[in-house]
Each structure stands twice: as C-alpha cells, then as structure tokens.
Amino acid sequence: MIKPGTNQNNLSQSQSPYLIQHASNPVDWYPWDEKAFKKAEKENKPIFLSIGYSTCHWCHVMNDESFEDSTVAELMNQNFVNIKVDREEMPEIDHLYMSVCQAMTGRGGWPLTIIMTPQKEPFFAGTYFPKNGQAQKPGMVQLIPSIANAWSTKQEEIRDSIDKIQNYLIHINTSVPGGEWDGAMIQGAFNQYASRFDPDYGGFGKSPKFPSAHNLIFLIRYSRLYNNPTALKMIKTTLNYMRLGGIFDQIGLGFHRYSTDKRWLLPHFEKMLYDQAMLSMAYLEAYHLTGNIDYANVAREIFRYVLRDMTDKEGGFFSAEDADSEGKEGTFYFWTKKELVEILGEKNGKIMAEVYGFLEMGNFHDEATAQTTGKNIPYLQDNRNALAKEFDITLNELNEIIENSRKKLFDVRQDRVHPQKDDKILTDWNGLMIAAFALGGQILNEPEYINAAKKAAEFVHKKLRNKNSKLFKSYRNGKSGLSPHLDDYSFMVWGLLNLYEGTFNVEYLSRALELTEVMNENFSDENGGFFIGSKDAEKLMVRAKFSYDSAIPSGNSVAVMNLFRLSKMTGNKKWTNLAEKTLKAFTDEAKQTPTGFAHMLTGFMFDLKEPKEVVVVANSYNSKTKKLVQKLKDNYCPNKVIIFKDLSNPKRLEEIAPWISDYSVIDNKPTFYICEDFTCKRPTTNIKTVLNYLSV
C-alpha cells in the first residue's frame, strides 16, 4: 500500500500490488514503458532494473534497507533511470534477465538487479544488495558510484560484455531439432529422483526443499504405468511428511512456498496460488492411485483455503499471500507454548503442545542466528495412537480435540495483523487452479469444486479475453491488461480440458481448441516449441524460449500434454505432430537433465503408453448415465481421455471431433466405445468390460 502523506513516484497508477508497494519510495521509479527508456536515452544514463514480486521476502528487505533510504535513492536518481517490474506480470522480461544474472554470477533469485543500457542491453547483474557492504558483498552506496564510473570511462569494456551476453542469449534461446524421445529418458528421470530421494522425510535433496508438485505427478503416473513400487514409496513418504510439516499451514490450511530444512518444518511463509493448484492435483492423483482418503482430505483442505481466502467474489483467484506481517517474516504464523494453554485451557493446551511439537524454547532455530526463539510452528507428530494412550483418550476423541483446537486457534489468529494479499488475478495461475478444481470435482464427485472451476473459467472468458479470443495477462480493480504469454494459453487450455472432462460441456472443449489455435499462431517457433512472448510482443535482445520446469511446469511442458490430449479428443493428428515437434526441440536438454522436464516427460509418457480413448454415447446425460460415467472417472488410468456424446444435441461435438460422428447407442442404452489411436473395439454397454480394459 502507498503510505499516506508521502510523495508518490511514477508507480502510483500501476495495477500491480508489487509496484504499488514501491510507489512512495524516494527512488524515482518508472514502470517498464517507453517513457523511461526515452528518458534514459536523452540523459545518457544507464537503467537500474529491479524485478521482484509482491510476496517476496528479500524484495521487502532490500526495499526497507535501500530503496526507502534517502542516501541510496539520491545516488540512484542521479546516476540511473530506475525501472520496477513485477515478474508475475512480465515473465518474458524476468526470464530473459534472470538468464543473464545466472550466466554472469552463477546464481539467481529475487529481487533481481540488472544494470543495462537505454537500449535494454544488460552489462551488470545481481540479486539482493544491502545499503552498505557485507563481507564480500558490495552495498548500494559502493556499487552505484562504481557502476557510474564504469559507464563514464569503460564503454568499450561494457560493449564487449554486452556482445558476449547477447551471443549467450541467442545460443540458449535457439532450438535445434533433436532426435526422437524414448522410454530411456523416462527411466533416466526416475533414476535421478531415486538417487536424490530423502528416505527419512521425503522430497529430493537436503535443504531447502521445494514441493515441486509436477515431479510428484510424474512419479505417481510412472508408478502406475510402469508398476514401480519404489516410485510409489517415494510419493507416499513425500506427501505424508509435507502434510505433517510446517510447510502446511496446520491452522489456516494451504501450503507455504518451500521448506528451509529437510524435515519440512520451517517454511518460507508466502503462499502462492500456483502451489495450491499443483499440490492439490498431486494429492488428488495420489488418492486416485492409492485410495488413501488422507490424500483426498489434503486436497479438500487446500480447496477450502483457496475458496475462503483466495477467491474473488466474481470467481477469479488471487495470486498470493505475503510471508511478512508487522515487518517480519512468519509473525502471523508463530505461537508460544504459553499461548496454547491460555487459549485452549490446561488439558487441551498440553495435548495440542504434544500434537504440534511445541517447546518452551521454541521448536525451530532462527535462520540468521541459529538460536531458538521461544516461538513455535505447528507441525503434526506422526504418533496419534501413542498420544491417545498417553492422555488416556480414544483416537476419535483425540482427533476431535485436534480439530476443535485448530478452529479456536484459527479464530484467535484472525485477529492478528494479516500478511498482505496480492489480489491481482493472473490468467495463467487461474488456469492451473481451474484445472485443479475441475480434477477435484471429477475424482471426489464434488459439485462445489466443479462450480468453482466453471465460475473462474467464465471470469477469464469475460474479463481476460478480447474480441479476437486473445487473452490478457492480468486483472485488478476492474481493469484487464498486459500482453499475454505462453503460460496464459497453455495453462488455461489445461484448465478447460479438465473442465470439459468434468462437465462434458462442449463449450469448454471448443474454447480449449480455440486458445490452442491462437497459441500456435502467435507463439510457435518454426524449429519446434513455443516462445514465451507472442510474435506481436515488444522486441527484446532475443525472443526468449523456456523449456525447463521450475516452481511450476513450463508453458512448453504443459502445451505438450494439452496437444496430445486434444489430438485424442478431436481426432486431429496435427496436434500430435505439433506435440512431437515440440518434444524434438528440447531433446538434447531433456536427455542431459531429465528431471528438469518432468511435466514434458509426463506428456510424453501419456502418448508413449498407448492412450485410451473412451467415448460414451447416450440419449442424454441423465442421472443414470452420470453414475456410469463416474465409475469411469473413479478408475485411475492416467493415459485416458473421456468424451461424451449426447445424442439429444450431438452436432457441436461432431464438428470438433468428426471421428465419432457415426457412434450411436446399442439397445437404447449408454454405450461405450473403447479406442486406441482412433481404432475402436466392439462397442459395449457393459461398464465392467470398460473398467477391465482401463486397468490393464
């Protein structure tokens, strides 16, 4: 929020909560626009580019230490034209300059700091800088004069650095079609996961640990399609310990961003919409595979949090909640053991201290000082049977105490100062959340979740799309704007395809097809794959292409899965050809680092393992037919698609999928056509025959 009674810079009219956070800085910030670049060119000043996002903890720290400081601001205003960018609104710019930072320094992160020419050519990169130098790290008061001097006296060296950077960017963003993908790449990814797996607490590597749900979804599907019990064990261990840990908000529900330790105890406290979407899908698929109701309940808890705290009244989903409140990270989420007893009473307070692992000295160490704090993060102990025995109560009684206590603590916590909410509605992340709710509605047979997905899909369709079916990037305060990116299209198509299978409303399949056509027209590379920005987007040093999965799957990865699914649904093999062309664009990278392409491998695995098309034909989608179809949905077959042909109104579906035009019912009963590669077996009215086939 803009501080009352303060001067405002050029960010005050922005729609981005992140930019608005900096609107009262003494730094003369500009948004990314031509005005800033023309000013820099006219005054012959380099540009100080700062990229971050509203819930970024270290962005807040750098703001407090440097951008709010009058000395630093004066130096910046004298020597630079200063530009702020919200990475969530401009991912192409973020990706391009993050690539520069990683190449120049060997690391990256946010806040991202770039010094560049008025022509947008970078020659210096870093991340967080304090006001004054610390150890080997320069501070802003040392850094700025040094760069200003280089700009005045070392132009030849700067130009040489720029040329090297440009050649590097051209190299990493140019696709050379490679060979065919094969099953060895899938096995290679599994082997890498297995070698990094933590058998004690789950996850991969030591610390920090990121949930990276697309990795888990790959392993869930791999365990089913390749009948691999080791993969299943890895999944169960990871999902179990994440839900027990502090990375899950035990009081208010939902997942925090990542864990700073191997036990999933001490999280980085921001909550991102994309994590809720991806993790709910991972838990749903795990439930679908194992039948373990605990996993279904975790998905329900995530959905409860999103519907309660992250949903606009018109149906769109907000972006994130901050890690900080009252100027400190995690304050909103911490408790003392004494508070527990005061709120819950002596007996239940003592029980819940054991349940949540609370200690008088605190149950975690401060990252910076390594000292205990007296504060506690609720995390569940995996010993409920033992605790029930210790307190001489039944397990049901203990579970009731836990839930009632959680509600009381939640009510108390509601009166605290809340972390800031980033209430912009992003098209891409909404696509992920629509996909999650639609999947939840299918697997859990829960109309509320389908309705949430439908409402959000209508929001995007009406508020974040123009008359030419091109998407906008962002919506806030009644205004839509910003150029879309690949992820906006690929993620929304994912959501619409899931919503089609959840409702069999042909409108969603039609929209998915329409957006895919627009994506192909505006983002495709003739050498395969898709660029981040459209062909009409602002021209940067290079046109960036991104293939690796990061916190979420890449737009290219999701596009591959979408294209394979669309091909099976529509019968149009051009989508299969486009998917295969996309795969070949990244063959070499995927072979070198298969775990960096988990979701793309999931898409490849979908196609490799003989996808099954089930066409259900019925006179209407009545309650009897719905029950039969739900049995299909209850069966976990990760490489299937389901199409429903309603004979009361078949025309639109037949236009989209002409290969099913001749399909009809037998004996006036719902009839199932089981197909592979558009070759169908004898139709049947026996649901057991279909289920047996899907189980193979």
Side-chain angles (χ1 to χ4, degrees), residues 256-524:
H256 298 296
R257 181 67 199 91
Y258 65 86
S259 175
T260 62
D261 64 290
K262 67 178 183 178
R263 297 166 54 204
W264 306 102
L265 168 61
L266 178 60
H268 183 48
F269 286 94
E270 67 190 274
K271 288 182 177 179
M272 311 301 295
L273 181 68
Y274 59 72
D275 281 325
Q276 315 311 317
M278 293 300 302
L279 283 164
S280 59
M281 285 192 278
Y283 278 96
L284 284 166
E285 290 218 21
Y287 164 67
H288 215 177
L289 173 65
T290 66
N292 185 336
I293 194 67
D294 289 342
Y295 297 148
N297 288 336
V298 178
R300 287 190 175 97
E301 289 172 328
I302 295 171
F303 291 154
R304 198 188 322 170
Y305 160 69
V306 171
L307 290 171
R308 185 191 70 217
D309 292 348
M310 299 296 286
T311 305
D312 179 77
K313 63 183 180 182
E314 294 186 80
F317 302 113
F318 302 136
S319 295
E321 289 192 303
D322 209 331
D324 297 17
S325 59
E326 302 181 76
K328 295 181 180 178
E329 183 179 6
T331 300
F332 183 72
Y333 300 99
F334 294 148
W335 304 85
T336 65
K337 194 172 180 181
K338 182 181 177 183
E339 282 180 300
L340 219 57
V341 174
E342 289 174 349
I343 296 165
L344 303 176
E346 189 72 31
K347 181 183 177 182
N348 286 353
K350 188 176 179 181
I351 291 173
M352 292 306 298
E354 292 289 326
V355 168
Y356 285 148
F358 279 21
L359 301 171
E360 291 289 350
M361 65 184 71
N363 64 3
F364 66 94
H365 291 83
D366 181 81
E367 273 193 281
T369 66
Q371 301 297 309
T372 54
T373 64
K375 305 291 186 181
N376 293 274
I377 301 165
Y379 76 102
L380 291 174
Q381 309 300 295
D382 194 19
N383 61 347
R384 291 199 184 189
N385 286 318
L387 284 174
K389 243 182 219 183
E390 179 185 341
F391 290 104
D392 195 27
I393 54 179
T394 67
L395 186 59
N396 284 340
E397 287 172 331
L398 176 61
N399 288 334
E400 189 174 342
I401 289 170
I402 291 172
E403 182 56 19
N404 288 338
S405 297
R406 185 197 68 76
K407 289 177 180 176
K408 285 184 180 179
L409 293 170
F410 177 81
D411 289 340
V412 170
R413 201 178 75 175
Q414 285 296 91
D415 291 331
R416 295 178 176 177
V417 176
H418 284 240
Q420 180 181 329
K421 195 186 306 288
D422 187 329
D423 60 355
K424 68 177 180 291
I425 296 171
L426 295 171
T427 301
D428 50 355
W429 298 1
N430 270 252
L432 292 180
M433 203 68 238
I434 291 166
F437 270 117
L439 185 67
Q442 290 182 63
I443 293 175
L444 304 176
N445 195 17
E446 179 52 71
E448 181 188 12
Y449 303 152
I450 293 291
N451 289 336
K454 288 165 64 176
K455 194 172 179 182
E458 288 309 303
F459 181 92
V460 172
H461 189 69
K462 292 176 181 177
K463 304 286 189 180
L464 284 157
R465 185 184 67 100
N466 67 18
K467 294 177 181 178
N468 299 317
S469 296
K470 290 186 176 180
L471 297 171
F472 294 111
K473 179 74 187 177
S474 180
Y475 177 93
R476 187 172 182 268
N477 290 338
K479 296 180 181 178
S480 304
L482 301 177
S483 299
H485 297 85
L486 171 63
D487 290 9
D488 298 303
Y489 285 89
S490 61
F491 292 3
M492 268 307 302
V493 171
W494 186 359
L496 290 167
L497 290 177
N498 279 12
L499 194 48
Y500 168 72
E501 289 195 323
T503 64
F504 297 120
N505 183 338
V506 183
E507 175 66 21
Y508 298 124
L509 182 56
S510 176
R511 290 181 192 176
L513 193 59
E514 185 177 50
L515 290 179
T516 302
E517 294 278 12
V518 175
M519 180 186 78
N520 188 36
E521 169 66 23
N522 289 275
F523 295 86
S524 61

Side-chain angles (χ1 to χ4, degrees), residues 187 190-191 194 219-235 289:
Q187 189 61 41
F190 170 74
N191 291 340
L219 288 169
I220 292 167
R221 296 190 174 200
Y222 174 85
S223 72
R224 165 65 175 82
L225 294 171
Y226 288 84
N227 192 27
N228 188 303
T230 303
L232 183 58
K233 185 178 179 182
M234 291 159 64
I235 296 156
L289 173 65

Side-chain angles (χ1 to χ4, degrees), residues 562-593:
N562 292 341
L563 291 166
F564 279 132
R565 291 175 72 187
L566 268 175
S567 180
K568 299 306 174 189
M569 289 179 174
T570 65
N572 192 338
K573 290 191 177 183
K574 86 170 184 179
W575 302 125
T576 292
N577 295 336
L578 188 57
E580 290 174 345
K581 188 177 180 180
T582 303
L583 289 173
K584 288 178 182 179
F586 307 115
T587 301
D588 292 343
E589 295 97 321
K591 284 186 174 180
Q592 290 174 12
T593 318

Side-chain angles (χ1 to χ4, degrees), residues 43-64:
E43 298 178 4
N44 190 29
K45 287 182 178 179
I47 286 169
F48 186 103
L49 173 64
S50 178
I51 302 176
Y53 56 102
S54 71
T55 58
C56 165
H57 171 68
W58 285 102
C59 300
H60 299 330
V61 174
M62 190 168 176
N63 178 61
D64 294 344

Side-chain angles (χ1 to χ4, degrees), residues 627-643:
K627 286 180 181 177
L628 288 173
V629 172
Q630 189 59 46
K631 290 182 179 181
L632 291 179
K633 294 179 179 181
D634 290 342
N635 178 281
Y636 185 59
C637 179
N639 59 333
K640 74 171 185 288
V641 298
I642 304 175
I643 305 166

Side-chain angles (χ1 to χ4, degrees), residues 17 83 94 147 160 194 566:
I83 294 178
D94 175 61
I147 292 174
D160 183 59
L566 268 175

